[in-house]
Amino acid sequence: MKTNLGVSQALIVEKDSAILGLPGERVQLLNADHRHVCKFKDPLDSNYITLRNAFVSTIDHIERDLQEPATSNSQELGLAATQDQYNSTMKTLAGYLVQGDLPDNDLANLLDRQLDGTCQWLTDDTEFKYWRAGDEGAPKLLWLNGKPATGKSTLAAHVVRQFYGCNLDCSYFFFKHGDKSKSSVASMLRSFAYQMASTNPRIRSEILAMHDNGVLIDAEDERTLWRSVFLSRIFRTDFHQPYFWVIDALDECADFTCFLPMLAKIDKNIPLRVFMTSRPSPVIQTLLLQEKLLVSTKQVTVESSYHDIRCMLEASTRFLPIDDPVACESLIAKILSKSNGCFLWVALVLKELETTHSEQQIQEVLDSVPSEMDSLYTRILDTMAMIPRNRKLAQAILRWTVCAVRPLRVEELKEAIRLDLDEVVPRLERTVETVCGHLVHIDRNSRVQIIHQTVRAFLTQDGLLSDFAIDRLREHSRLAEVCLQYLCSDELKSSRYRRRGSAARAAKRSVFAEYATVYFAEHVVRSSSSNDNQIATLSSFFHTNILSWIEIVAEGGDLFFLTQTAKNLKVYMERRAKYKSPLGQQVHAISSWIQDLIYIVTTFGRPLLTSPPSIHFLIPPVCPRNSIIYRQYHEYPRCLEIVGQCELEWDDRLSCISLREFQVLAIACRDNRFVIGLSDGRIVLYHTSTCQEAGQLIHGMEAVRFLGFGSANVLLASGGRQAIALWDTTSGNKLWAVDITERLLALGFNEDDTILMATTIANCTLFWSVEDGQELEKFFVSDQTEDESSTYKRPPSHAQLCGELNLLAVCYRQRPINIWDLEDRSFVGQFHKSAADIYPSPLLVAMVFNPNPDVNLVAASYQDGDLVIFDPWNQKQHTMVEANAHILAASSDGATLATGDGSGTVQIFDFETLRLLFRSTVNDFDIRAITFASNNVRFFDIRHDHCNVWEPSAIVRQTATGDGSSEYCSEAVLGDAETIGAQLLDDSQAITAMVSDGSDWLLCGKESGSIVLFEAKTGRQMQELYKHAANAAILLLEWNDRAAILASVDRASRIIVRKISSKGSDMRVVEQPLVDQSIGQAIRQVLFHSSGTMLLVSTSSFDQVWKTDGHQLAVRTTSSRQSWQWIDCSSSNQRLLLTVDGQIKWFDWKTLEESPLSTYSPVSLEDGGYPPVVNMKISSHGSVVCAHFREPPGGQGMARLRLWSASTPTAPAQDPISKHITNFDRIAKEVKTVIGFHKLLLLFLDHSGWICSISAERTTKERVYTRHFFIPYGWHCSGELIFAITAKGSIVLARKNGIAVFHRGLDFEDRVVLDMDSEIAMSQTEPHWSSPVLENHVDSPRSGHQWDHR
């Protein structure tokens, strides 16, 4: 509390200064000022009890920690952790949970206004104490409701203060209508997760593990947050005492109806108690009854408020011109009688009374002021209108305060008014309240806010006759215009030559920049669509500063705002089609940018966050040729240039993962993992974001036909014809397995992952304990219309389990769908597609539950082509369309339904309305299964031997606006579905091998067996050189520049060596074969001597050296080997280098005899084993060798990347050869493939798609690598990567049937220094960007990087 300093009051120690921020630190409020914080009246003093309880709790924690064995986590996050570690962890979690402003400020503002002795009536109430104590049978939910402005928020703050005072664990959230960051359930859940992590080390560790493991969460999807963060992590930790949630103004939440069903499904053993406030709400009352929530309800009555209002009046009347105690008491009584329990009415009356100077003036105010709030607001507006010179300023302040997406700070509002009115208001903080009649106030954090939500409702109501009435469409249009005016200004313009760095520009940006950048589209979507001026301004913005805007957003570390902007503008443009023709250059450009923004995020999100400046020089060139960002910006001076095989349009199919020899039969996805089940019994795990393989599990000798994740991505169930297994995917361990005798129809978990369920063809549903695999129960079902006396029970054809709804759907051939309730094993009803008395029913081919409990729908597809949506509880049909779907899948949020058919067509529908959103017509194999990723946009389908990865922009959805207005929604129109035809390539023309000829030409082998010539300068195929047998795919190519000879090896192990000479500038002459032989074994490697006179041929069991005329010189046999590679070092020492089993050996070229002193190991494992080598490269001059070693099986150990001299060792193996080995192990796990050397630069591709380099000239003490440019995700995420490097340093990637050549890519340099202690990449110097023309180094906004563009 503030300390009385005589004439004023002040806080002696601010809250931030009183908090150390140590792990486990508990922050509790004491009802005392600085002088009395350690003074107590007696042992019953509430402050004394608070302090005593805190000591007791702390001692209990210390004793418990001493009894528990120490772990690495407890050591890191326990009391021994430093404040810096704690702050760093919480900063990481804040970013991960997209945590904005904490509700501490809201709490502090409310507690500042609370007077001593007020609100006590609530916490002294017997019913409140019974709920707080949590005795057996006590409700876990306490709902306090009351009329507007009756002090509910202050009561909620008082409850928080009391919980802290009693040393209770508590999180709180104050909803605010109109503030987007405080008006959704998702925002509240993120805040609760952050608050709980800040005080509970176990919860902090769980959420930090999610971040470290790359678990993706949709920050705006409350169901995903609830499932993945709370049900799967937070609620599974041990709570040593009850935990309280305090939720204020639930009715001001835009989507509160989804929250109460969540609470209803919390396990009764979780000690969570919820206190919530709202206005009286029939909707909340109905939800409480529907969900059967045990709730205690209290109401803020007029009588309960009188004491607190009296305290408020007694504290304020001493400032009024009245001395007589009797008259003062009479004044208090009059105000109380007219207040009707409304604190806001009293506060506004007191504000007006402060302007009086006599008892008569006081009486005049009391007689004239109306007792109803609307009448009082009208009177205030009329008074404001009496001062014409302040009218425009008052209108602007109200406009920005009522319509802003979030409250503006004073400095932001000053700048907004300057742009809006062209007026400068230097002392706005003194002006706001007087100009706006005290309807607006400035809180302790300098945020300008409306005094109460009833003011917003009054000003925005229809038919208000006042100069200060807020027409939302008009005012949002004005706010959008002001934001766009700023975004189009010179302040954001970027030089095409980047003469100034981003950091330098950021320092000069207006305080209004952040708001305009993030929220301009929120105002556009809420404004009128018929405004042509807005279209012109939007077009100007997209034509001028769009790239700088993208860079600024990326600097903030969250690309959600790019996607949200695209969603908002898409809604706006579709709605505008009602008034205006969608034709015209400006409209087309805006629509094109809307599409590009979505694709930029999905395609280039990771590299854009890594390097925001890349949006100017690296991203436009790799965009499709017909995209507007490419057409508008790819000709930047000295920009990255790409020629050859490039996309013309954005591709919604991001990737195709081919398993070639094996059938893909099952797929499942959860969070950051997806898995596929194969016909050979393997389960392959992949990262959802990168499609990188993460491991394999062996189900057994049978095909894997069913896969299902639990609520988190830790538990995985797999099923075949003979067995079901449960896996821990983090460790790869099989937890248990059970045999089954009947064929499976469905497999899944219950909602809290404690039970695994399976339905079989024997009309039986089985239940196993997840903990130990014990069978708990068997539940038999049957066709309810079949004769019960019959001994024969027909087998079901389809079954579907839904853990979220606790329902089972079973269907029999040409019979209706039977719905069963798994909670009480009861029959719910039957759904008949046709009339109930018609037999046979149409044949069902697929069905799926909507997983969102708020939706309660089932989709069913029939052989006649109909797709039907019905309610499983009442079996009523909602809608039906013709879809011809054989496969169905629902997104986790329940918004989207995906279908697949036998011809390979994928369709995406809105689940509830069956409005078609997207269709892909791919003439491919029939679709076996579809599953959605956790972001509900990316999805996967499996066909034959491959898995397709999709991310259509058409299903990126608009999120809630948070301001509660419906004007812009009422104008919305439905756009047409996006239909694409994904072209299938001619596999026979796919490039299977590639080598550079040492100049500007590429020699490529194809699946068809042909050898073709490509020009690196243009990326075009110039001629076919020669051909092996038809369809004998070329597997290996080796070129020797000195002799101009090429060796090619096909799948049949045939080797052809030919001399290829030049004829003119762009033609080659192929001479007769020097060698044309077939080997009886698969050839793994061919290698020329540097002179071109000898050729090494290597298989798994022997190595041979031939002369280039085919004469054999030497042969070396060996036992079967799995991983080895030869390197030609003849340019420096006339020897061959072999790496096998982690060891390096030297051999003579002519004899293949091993050097007796040569063997040494650049890397080995602690257990004596050796990691397999992935790739080895030697520099063009033969002086430096690089080896990339794969991470050992089972994850024991780490990947390695080593560089060393190619000179033959002259000392025995025990000589410290390690002195000459440069270790880059700290980045080895990020290396996806080593490309090769360009001069003394080792080039490699990392898993994020960046082409990086390491200088072979670096000393062993300096660990530096450089990022240059990145390759689009879809170009490198699947299949074998085939790279080459030209003599000029251009990077060549084989793509589809051609090549993509990246020119000038190495000119861009993003220098990263490895921190040897923490093993992370960081910069040791300030980052800079060097202009391609001026070469002047300036600051870049991304710390940890140095940008050069030479």
Side-chain angles (χ1 to χ4, degrees):
M1 295 178 59
K2 294 181 179 179
T3 302
N4 193 341
L5 302 177
V7 294
S8 65
Q9 292 181 326
L11 285 175
I12 304 300
V13 180
E14 292 291 338
K15 180 181 177 182
D16 292 343
S17 300
I19 299 175
L20 297 177
L22 292 173
E25 179 180 8
R26 292 179 177 271
V27 180
Q28 295 177 247
L29 305 177
L30 295 178
N31 188 22
D33 59 23
H34 192 70
R35 290 196 182 101
H36 301 88
V37 71
C38 293
K39 298 178 181 179
F40 313 109
K41 298 176 182 178
D42 52 51
L44 298 179
D45 189 309
S46 62
N47 287 341
Y48 175 79
I49 294 173
T50 297
L51 198 59
R52 182 200 63 192
N53 291 345
F55 280 127
V56 171
S57 176
T58 300
I59 293 170
D60 287 343
H61 275 291
I62 294 173
E63 290 177 345
R64 187 162 51 246
D65 290 340
L66 290 174
Q67 293 169 1
E68 294 178 355
T71 64
S72 59
N73 266 352
S74 64
Q75 290 170 352
E76 179 182 354
L77 298 174
L79 294 175
T82 64
Q83 182 176 346
D84 287 343
Q85 289 176 314
Y86 172 80
N87 291 341
S88 175
T89 299
M90 294 312 300
K91 183 178 180 180
T92 299
L93 295 186
Y96 180 61
L97 295 169
V98 196
Q99 179 60 47
D101 293 337
L102 288 172
D104 297 19
N105 295 327
D106 297 324
L107 177 66
N109 287 328
L110 291 165
L111 292 179
D112 279 349
R113 297 202 297 266
Q114 184 187 357
L115 298 172
D116 292 344
T118 59
C119 302
Q120 206 64 39
W121 64 269
L122 174 63
T123 48
D124 288 343
D125 182 80
T126 303
E127 198 169 352
F128 178 89
K129 291 180 177 179
Y130 178 58
W131 163 80
R132 191 188 70 178
D135 297 334
E136 186 175 354
K140 291 194 172 184
L141 177 62
L142 177 58
W143 178 29
L144 178 69
N145 62 75
K147 294 180 179 180
T150 52
K152 298 184 295 296
S153 296
T154 304
L155 286 166
H158 172 72
V159 170
V160 174
R161 185 205 293 266
Q162 202 218 39
F163 287 163
Y164 277 139
C166 296
N167 197 32
L168 298 174
D169 291 328
C170 171
S171 296
Y172 51 91
F173 194 82
F174 299 89
F175 282 109
K176 287 196 175 182
H177 178 85
D179 187 340
K180 190 171 183 179
S181 64
K182 299 176 182 178
S183 58
S184 70
V185 170
S187 299
M188 177 187 70
L189 293 178
R190 296 198 309 270
S191 179
F192 281 169
Y194 182 84
Q195 292 180 65
M196 296 176 81
S198 69
T199 58
N200 188 314
R202 293 176 178 84
I203 294 176
R204 185 160 62 247
S205 177
E206 284 289 332
I207 302 179
L208 187 62
M210 291 179 67
H211 169 271
D212 293 343
N213 293 331
V215 177
L216 302 176
I217 58 173
D218 186 344
E220 298 302 318
D221 182 4
E222 65 282 346
R223 292 190 66 255
T224 299
L225 289 165
W226 183 253
R227 172 182 52 78
S228 61
V229 179
F230 288 88
L231 292 181
S232 301
R233 270 91 178 181
I234 291 179
F235 291 156
R236 294 186 181 183
T237 58
D238 294 329
F239 291 90
H240 298 298
Q241 63 177 354
Y243 205 99
F244 292 86
W245 284 355
V246 177
I247 305 168
D248 178 54
L250 182 65
D251 54 316
E252 294 185 25
C253 173
D255 51 354
F256 72 86
T257 54
C258 67
F259 177 61
L260 294 179
M262 293 177 181
L263 289 182
K265 295 181 179 179
I266 296 178
D267 189 295
K268 63 181 180 180
N269 295 318
I270 296 174
L272 176 69
R273 291 168 214 158
V274 180
F275 175 88
M276 68 181 193
T277 73
S278 76
R279 289 172 291 185
S281 170
V283 177
I284 294 178
Q285 187 69 49
T286 302
L287 281 171
L288 292 172
L289 293 174
Q290 286 179 349
E291 300 299 331
K292 301 177 183 178
L293 275 166
L294 186 59
V295 59
S296 177
T297 304
K298 291 203 65 65
Q299 191 169 16
V300 182
T301 63
V302 174
E303 291 76 17
S304 61
S305 299
Y306 273 162
H307 174 266
D308 293 348
I309 293 177
R310 171 174 284 278
C311 291
M312 177 180 177
L313 291 171
E314 288 175 349
S316 302
T317 50
R318 57 194 180 95
F319 298 106
L320 301 180
I322 185 169
D323 296 327
D324 185 3
V326 177
C328 184
E329 181 60 32
S330 175
L331 174 63
I332 291 174
K334 287 180 181 179
I335 295 176
L336 271 175
S337 64
K338 297 187 70 173
S339 70
N340 198 26
C342 180
F343 284 87
L344 178 60
W345 183 91
V346 174
L348 290 173
V349 169
L350 287 173
K351 286 287 185 181
E352 190 162 350
L353 288 176
E354 287 177 3
T355 64
T356 61
H357 302 285
S358 66
E359 294 184 13
Q360 289 72 23
Q361 290 179 348
I362 292 175
Q363 191 60 45
E364 288 176 6
V365 170
L366 290 178
D367 291 340
S368 61
V369 70
S371 58
E372 297 297 326
M373 289 305 302
D374 282 3
S375 300
L376 178 57
Y377 290 151
T378 301
R379 183 172 182 270
I380 292 173
L381 295 183
D382 291 342
T383 303
M384 291 165 54
M386 298 172 78
I387 310 176
R389 67 174 179 274
N390 290 340
R391 185 176 302 161
K392 286 187 177 181
L393 179 59
Q395 289 172 336
I397 294 173
L398 290 175
R399 173 164 56 241
W400 285 96
T401 307
V402 171
C403 296
V405 180
R406 64 156 175 79
L408 297 175
R409 296 184 296 275
V410 171
E411 294 302 317
E412 289 177 318
L413 183 57
K414 284 182 183 179
E415 186 63 14
I417 290 173
R418 185 188 69 79
L419 294 169
D420 192 354
L421 302 180
D422 197 22
E423 291 186 14
V424 177
V425 186
R427 297 182 179 179
L428 185 64
E429 56 276 9
R430 300 184 183 181
T431 306
V432 164
E433 294 192 13
T434 55
V435 168
C436 296
H438 302 291
L439 297 179
V440 176
H441 77 105
I442 298 173
D443 66 18
R444 60 183 291 166
N445 301 109
S446 297
R447 296 176 303 180
V448 184
Q449 307 213 46
I450 214 77
I451 58 168
H452 197 268
Q453 297 304 324
T454 55
V455 177
R456 177 180 279 105
F458 176 78
L459 292 174
T460 57
Q461 66 180 309
D462 294 334
L464 177 61
L465 300 177
S466 172
D467 291 340
F468 303 102
I470 301 294
D471 180 331
R472 287 191 174 183
L473 287 176
R474 183 188 65 216
E475 302 301 348
H476 278 298
S477 293
R478 179 56 186 160
L479 266 60
E481 182 181 347
V482 173
C483 291
L484 286 168
Q485 174 187 338
Y486 170 76
L487 294 176
C488 293
S489 67
D490 292 344
E491 189 174 301
L492 261 68
K493 283 187 178 178
S494 172
S495 167
R496 292 169 67 90
Y497 295 94
R498 304 289 283 171
R499 290 183 173 85
R500 295 184 299 134
S502 297
R505 295 195 309 277
K508 298 181 180 179
R509 288 179 196 145
S510 163
V511 293
F512 185 64
E514 187 266 343
Y515 184 89
T517 298
V518 172
Y519 296 117
F520 82 91
E522 298 286 349
H523 295 297
V524 171
V525 77
R526 292 170 169 86
S527 62
S528 173
S529 303
S530 58
N531 188 345
D532 285 338
N533 291 334
Q534 193 152 274
I535 289 294
T537 309
L538 274 172
S539 177
S540 175
F541 165 62
F542 282 122
H543 188 69
T544 54
N545 294 342
I546 178 65
L547 296 188
S548 294
W549 172 75
I550 294 173
E551 181 183 2
I552 293 170
V553 173
E555 287 171 13
D558 187 1
L559 300 183
F560 164 77
F561 297 112
L562 294 183
T563 304
Q564 186 62 31
T565 296
K567 294 176 185 178
N568 286 328
L569 295 180
K570 184 176 182 180
V571 170
Y572 173 79
M573 296 302 292
E574 289 176 350
R575 192 175 75 235
R576 187 181 183 275
K578 290 175 59 177
Y579 304 100
K580 303 286 184 179
S581 167
L583 303 177
Q585 186 175 354
Q586 290 181 335
V587 173
H588 177 70
I590 294 171
S591 299
S592 298
W593 269 111
I594 291 171
Q595 174 180 267
D596 280 13
L597 284 177
I598 294 174
Y599 281 112
I600 286 170
V601 174
T602 58
T603 309
F604 306 118
R606 294 182 68 180
L608 184 56
L609 287 174
T610 302
S611 173
S614 65
I615 189 62
H616 294 273
F617 293 95
L618 302 183
I619 290 180
V622 295
C623 291
R625 295 300 190 253
N626 293 336
S627 65
I628 192 169
I629 184 174
Y630 177 84
R631 290 185 281 114
Q632 198 165 308
Y633 291 108
H634 78 281
E635 293 184 345
Y636 257 32
R638 297 291 296 167
C639 198
L640 176 69
E641 180 186 4
I642 305 174
V643 296
Q645 189 75 31
C646 299
E647 307 292 347
L648 295 178
E649 305 290 347
W650 293 105
D651 192 354
D652 288 310
R653 183 167 59 173
L654 298 182
S655 176
C656 177
I657 302 171
S658 176
L659 279 301
R660 295 188 180 275
E661 300 176 5
F662 305 98
Q663 296 286 303
V664 184
L665 302 176
I667 187 167
C669 182
R670 182 72 80 192
D671 296 334
N672 65 328
R673 292 283 189 274
F674 75 93
V675 294
I676 57 177
L678 303 181
S679 56
D680 66 344
R682 285 182 298 144
I683 303 168
V684 187
L685 290 79
Y686 295 90
H687 293 282
T688 302
S689 58
T690 65
C691 293
Q692 173 193 352
E693 184 175 329
Q696 294 189 9
L697 310 173
I698 306 300
H699 172 80
M701 299 303 293
E702 61 174 344
V704 181
R705 300 182 181 275
F706 291 89
L707 290 168
F709 277 109
S711 296
N713 65 349
V714 176
L715 294 178
L716 172 70
S718 62
R721 292 286 175 87
Q722 301 174 351
I724 292 174
L726 185 68
W727 305 85
D728 181 337
T729 57
T730 56
S731 64
N733 294 331
K734 182 185 291 187
L735 302 179
W736 51 261
V738 294
D739 294 332
I740 54 174
T741 57
E742 303 291 344
R743 181 165 62 89
L744 280 177
L745 291 177
L747 182 68
F749 292 86
N750 67 341
E751 190 175 26
D752 61 2
D753 292 352
T754 57
I755 297 174
L756 179 64
M757 308 176 290
T759 301
T760 72
I761 202 170
N763 284 294
C764 178
T765 299
L766 301 98
F767 302 85
W768 294 277
S769 168
V770 165
E771 183 176 359
D772 54 16
Q774 290 295 313
E775 184 177 312
L776 303 176
E777 182 185 358
K778 288 184 178 179
F779 168 50
F780 289 92
V781 298
S782 63
D783 187 350
Q784 289 297 290
T785 55
E786 136 180 288
D787 185 3
E788 291 295 331
S789 63
S790 173
T791 57
Y792 171 73
K793 300 296 182 184
R794 70 173 70 196
S797 60
H798 295 82
Q800 188 75 25
L801 290 160
C802 182
E804 293 85 356
L805 300 179
N806 222 6
L807 290 178
L808 166 67
V810 181
C811 187
Y812 302 82
R813 184 176 177 82
Q814 294 188 305
R815 300 294 297 162
I817 299 174
N818 295 266
I819 307 296
W820 295 83
D821 189 336
L822 294 175
E823 186 171 353
D824 56 12
R825 312 296 192 257
S826 63
F827 176 69
V828 177
Q830 286 185 330
F831 171 73
H832 297 259
K833 177 177 178 288
S834 52
D837 56 350
I838 295 179
Y839 181 84
S841 296
L843 184 66
L844 180 78
V845 295
M847 61 180 171
V848 66
F849 282 95
N850 188 307
N852 189 340
D854 297 331
V855 179
N856 280 324
L857 292 175
V858 177
S861 181
Y862 292 86
Q863 192 178 40
D864 60 6
D866 289 342
L867 177 61
V868 179
I869 301 295
F870 69 91
D871 188 318
W873 296 105
N874 59 27
Q875 300 86 52
K876 290 183 178 180
Q877 181 175 309
H878 279 219
T879 186
M880 180 174 66
V881 298
E882 184 176 355
N884 296 305
H886 297 169
I887 296 296
L888 300 177
S891 60
S892 61
D893 62 357
T896 308
L897 174 68
T899 73
D901 65 18
S903 63
T905 298
V906 176
Q907 298 183 99
I908 303 295
F909 297 89
D910 179 90
F911 200 112
E912 297 186 57
T913 65
L914 289 185
R915 180 170 74 91
L916 183 63
L917 304 173
F918 169 81
R919 177 189 287 118
S920 169
T921 55
V922 182
N923 297 320
D924 198 357
F925 297 97
D926 65 300
I927 300 171
R928 288 179 174 152
I930 299 175
T931 190
F932 279 87
S934 296
N935 67 359
N936 302 310
V937 176
R938 179 171 295 187
F939 66 91
F940 311 84
D941 74 52
I942 55 174
R943 325 172 185 218
H944 191 55
D945 62 353
H946 58 274
C947 171
N948 290 317
V949 185
W950 300 85
E951 195 159 309
S953 63
I955 60 175
V956 176
R957 293 174 176 264
Q958 162 77 18
T959 60
T961 63
D963 87 333
S965 61
S966 60
E967 291 94 331
Y968 81 97
C969 294
S970 65
E971 295 185 284
V973 296
L974 302 180
D976 295 331
E978 177 186 347
T979 300
I980 67 167
Q983 297 181 352
L984 295 179
L985 298 172
D986 181 1
D987 288 340
S988 67
Q989 297 303 310
I991 293 178
T992 53
M994 179 171 61
V995 65
S996 171
D997 73 344
S999 59
D1000 202 32
W1001 300 88
L1002 285 306
L1003 302 160
C1004 299
K1006 293 197 171 186
E1007 183 75 24
S1008 62
S1010 61
I1011 311 295
V1012 296
L1013 181 70
F1014 281 86
E1015 183 184 32
K1017 182 178 180 181
T1018 62
R1020 293 184 300 169
Q1021 179 176 325
M1022 305 303 292
Q1023 69 179 105
E1024 182 177 280
L1025 300 176
Y1026 63 93
K1027 193 169 185 177
H1028 285 232
N1031 299 319
I1034 305 303
L1035 301 183
L1036 300 171
L1037 289 176
E1038 178 74 6
W1039 171 258
N1040 181 270
D1041 189 46
R1042 183 180 299 180
I1045 54 176
L1046 176 70
S1048 55
V1049 179
D1050 64 25
R1051 187 174 288 138
S1053 297
R1054 179 187 178 190
I1055 306 175
I1056 297 178
V1057 179
R1058 288 177 181 260
K1059 185 174 180 65
I1060 300 176
S1061 56
S1062 300
K1063 180 182 179 181
S1065 60
D1066 57 358
M1067 292 295 291
R1068 296 293 184 271
V1069 175
V1070 182
E1071 300 181 5
Q1072 290 300 312
L1074 301 174
V1075 176
D1076 188 347
Q1077 295 188 27
S1078 293
I1079 304 296
Q1081 295 188 27
I1083 300 174
R1084 293 284 298 272
Q1085 186 181 4
V1086 290
L1087 188 66
F1088 278 119
H1089 185 277
S1090 60
S1091 65
T1093 58
M1094 290 182 286
L1095 175 68
L1096 172 76
V1097 179
S1098 182
T1099 71
S1100 60
S1101 60
F1102 66 80
D1103 304 302
Q1104 295 179 353
V1105 175
W1106 303 346
K1107 285 188 175 182
T1108 49
D1109 60 4
H1111 176 69
Q1112 181 176 305
L1113 293 178
V1115 62
R1116 173 181 176 269
T1117 59
T1118 180
S1119 59
S1120 182
R1121 51 193 177 184
Q1122 298 297 321
S1123 176
W1124 77 96
Q1125 188 174 348
W1126 291 92
I1127 291 289
D1128 171 43
C1129 298
S1130 58
S1131 61
S1132 60
N1133 55 36
Q1134 297 301 314
R1135 292 184 182 271
L1136 276 166
L1137 182 151
L1138 171 67
T1139 173
V1140 59
D1141 296 332
Q1143 292 185 326
I1144 301 299
K1145 300 181 179 182
W1146 294 90
F1147 292 83
D1148 183 86
W1149 247 109
K1150 293 182 180 180
T1151 64
L1152 283 183
E1153 293 180 355
E1154 182 179 354
S1155 171
L1157 303 178
S1158 69
T1159 301
Y1160 62 92
S1161 175
V1163 56
S1164 63
L1165 299 180
E1166 293 178 1
D1167 60 5
Y1170 295 95
V1173 65
V1174 179
N1175 204 347
M1176 289 186 66
K1177 300 290 182 182
I1178 189 167
S1179 62
S1180 57
H1181 299 292
S1183 58
V1184 179
V1185 176
C1186 163
H1188 180 214
F1189 295 89
R1190 183 183 296 115
E1191 184 176 342
Q1196 301 299 318
M1198 58 183 289
R1200 272 81 167 178
L1201 184 66
R1202 303 289 168 87
L1203 275 72
W1204 69 92
S1205 171
S1207 59
T1208 307
T1210 56
Q1214 60 266 29
D1215 189 61
I1217 188 69
S1218 58
K1219 289 181 180 179
H1220 309 289
I1221 298 175
T1222 306
N1223 178 334
F1224 284 95
D1225 292 349
R1226 286 173 176 80
I1227 61 170
K1229 65 179 180 180
E1230 300 300 326
V1231 176
K1232 186 167 187 175
T1233 186
V1234 175
I1235 299 171
F1237 281 91
H1238 173 62
K1239 300 178 181 177
L1240 284 178
L1241 284 181
L1242 174 69
L1243 300 173
F1244 63 89
L1245 175 76
D1246 72 9
H1247 288 294
S1248 297
W1250 283 92
I1251 296 294
C1252 306
S1253 70
I1254 297 172
S1255 174
E1257 295 178 311
R1258 300 285 182 189
T1259 65
T1260 57
K1261 296 181 179 180
E1262 188 178 10
R1263 302 292 184 269
V1264 180
Y1265 75 97
T1266 303
R1267 281 192 291 257
H1268 296 284
F1269 65 94
F1270 60 86
I1271 295 176
Y1273 169 80
W1275 297 17
H1276 68 83
C1277 63
S1278 62
E1280 183 182 0
L1281 294 172
I1282 303 173
F1283 279 99
I1285 308 171
T1286 70
K1288 296 179 180 178
S1290 296
I1291 309 297
V1292 186
L1293 170 66
R1295 284 202 70 225
K1296 301 178 180 177
N1297 300 342
I1299 63 172
V1301 187
F1302 297 81
H1303 294 302
R1304 296 197 297 269
L1306 300 185
D1307 292 350
F1308 298 87
E1309 295 184 354
D1310 184 358
R1311 185 172 178 267
V1312 182
V1313 179
L1314 293 177
D1315 186 329
M1316 300 303 292
D1317 296 324
S1318 61
E1319 299 192 7
I1320 60 173
M1322 61 182 293
S1323 174
Q1324 294 181 342
T1325 60
E1326 286 298 313
H1328 65 267
W1329 173 281
S1330 177
S1331 163
V1333 174
L1334 299 182
E1335 292 287 344
N1336 66 323
H1337 299 261
V1338 293
D1339 287 342
S1340 164
R1342 302 296 286 177
S1343 61
H1345 310 288
Q1346 287 186 310
W1347 271 97
D1348 281 331
H1349 182 182
R1350 301 186 189 280

